[in-house]
Amino acid sequence: MVKLLIYGLEASPPTRSCLLTLKALELPFELVHVNLLNGEHLTPEFLEKNPQHTVPMLEDDEGCIWDSHAIMTYLVGKYGKNDALYPLDHHQRAIVDQRLHFDSGLMFTGALRPITRGILMLGETVIEQSRIEAVSEIYDLVELFLSDNDFVAGNELTLADFSFVSSISCLWIYLPIDAAKYPRISAWVQRMKELPYYEEANGIGAAQLETILKSKNFTIAA
């Protein structure tokens, strides 16, 4: 078996989605820690492998791939024993892809990253109410995705669930999930937490990020 290296840090939601995938596929790997706050992603060695200088990044015998969604689908395609996490059926795969794009374009890039970057990188201490409203709108949509399903892309666990739970487990730092308003999300989160590898692959890192963020004593504008 080729040695898989995943570059990132547990506090990073996209890194955690890849860790969930690796654990679900039962693949051996080494996590290479990259401290973004110390600029370790900007070293000449890292930039040579990934000029976009982002984490996570996967390295195997064929080279380097970055972007969590690309990494996750690659891992299933190359190393998966079956297509359960990323179905071959065209319609089912399209739904999973839509959810992955939803996470990439709206949930992470549109909502999570701006707030978190503002606090950690720019020293912001007040979160505008409009950003919290954007998180609420995301919850509204995810609740709809779960209307008739146990998981976000159907009744079976897929890569979409890994992307969603890694992002949502950070978003709820800014806007806790109201179980009365979002009963389906609450039930889905519990199902995800029951995965045998959840705590190691996502729970620990999510708690680390929550501790870091709350130490900044941010507030939400009225």
Side-chain angles (χ1 to χ4, degrees):
M1 178 68 183
V2 64
K3 185 175 184 179
L4 298 174
L5 301 177
I6 188 81
Y7 295 77
L9 65 163
E10 292 98 332
S12 157
T15 299
R16 284 188 265 117
S17 67
C18 293
L19 296 180
L20 285 163
T21 304
L22 287 160
K23 288 292 185 180
L25 295 174
E26 300 181 335
L27 297 173
F29 67 94
E30 178 185 345
L31 176 60
V32 180
H33 286 87
V34 180
N35 190 320
L36 302 182
L37 296 179
N38 289 342
E40 293 179 0
H41 60 309
L42 301 175
T43 64
E45 295 78 13
F46 194 87
L47 288 171
E48 183 177 354
K49 293 180 177 182
N50 175 2
Q52 199 172 341
H53 54 79
T54 55
V55 297
M57 178 179 75
L58 175 74
E59 184 173 8
D60 69 0
D61 59 331
E62 295 194 57
C64 297
I65 299 172
W66 55 92
D67 184 275
S68 62
H69 309 90
I71 292 170
M72 294 161 70
T73 57
Y74 175 78
L75 287 171
V76 173
K78 183 173 182 179
Y79 300 105
K81 297 175 184 177
N82 56 55
D83 69 331
L85 291 173
Y86 193 48
L88 290 173
D89 177 85
H90 294 301
H91 181 71
Q92 291 178 347
R93 175 165 289 197
I95 294 173
V96 175
D97 285 338
Q98 186 277 325
R99 303 298 195 257
L100 293 176
H101 287 298
F102 178 88
D103 174 59
S104 176
L106 186 61
M107 189 150 44
F108 182 78
T109 305
L112 177 55
R113 188 174 184 271
I115 300 175
T116 306
R117 181 174 180 272
I119 294 170
L120 296 182
M121 301 295 189
L122 304 179
E124 297 175 359
T125 58
V126 178
I127 302 172
E128 294 299 324
Q129 184 61 226
S130 60
R131 294 200 182 279
I132 300 302
E133 290 170 358
V135 175
S136 179
E137 291 173 2
I138 286 169
Y139 289 172
D140 291 343
L141 287 168
V142 176
E143 185 75 5
L144 286 174
F145 294 160
L146 290 162
S147 292
D148 300 312
N149 309 313
D150 287 339
F151 297 97
V152 298
N155 280 317
E156 303 296 332
L157 179 74
T158 68
L159 296 178
D161 295 285
F162 296 157
S163 277
F164 273 44
V165 79
S166 65
S167 291
I168 288 176
S169 59
C170 181
L171 287 175
W172 71 45
I173 299 170
Y174 310 123
L175 181 63
I177 296 172
D178 182 343
K181 185 176 181 180
Y182 302 113
R184 296 184 181 93
I185 295 179
S186 298
W188 166 77
V189 167
Q190 186 57 43
R191 279 191 288 275
M192 296 301 293
K193 287 183 175 182
E194 290 171 358
L195 294 172
Y197 45 81
Y198 174 88
E199 186 61 21
E200 181 182 2
N202 191 70
I204 293 173
Q208 290 176 358
L209 182 58
E210 183 171 359
T211 298
I212 294 169
L213 287 168
K214 288 187 174 180
S215 73
K216 304 300 181 180
N217 297 314
F218 65 84
T219 59
I220 298 171

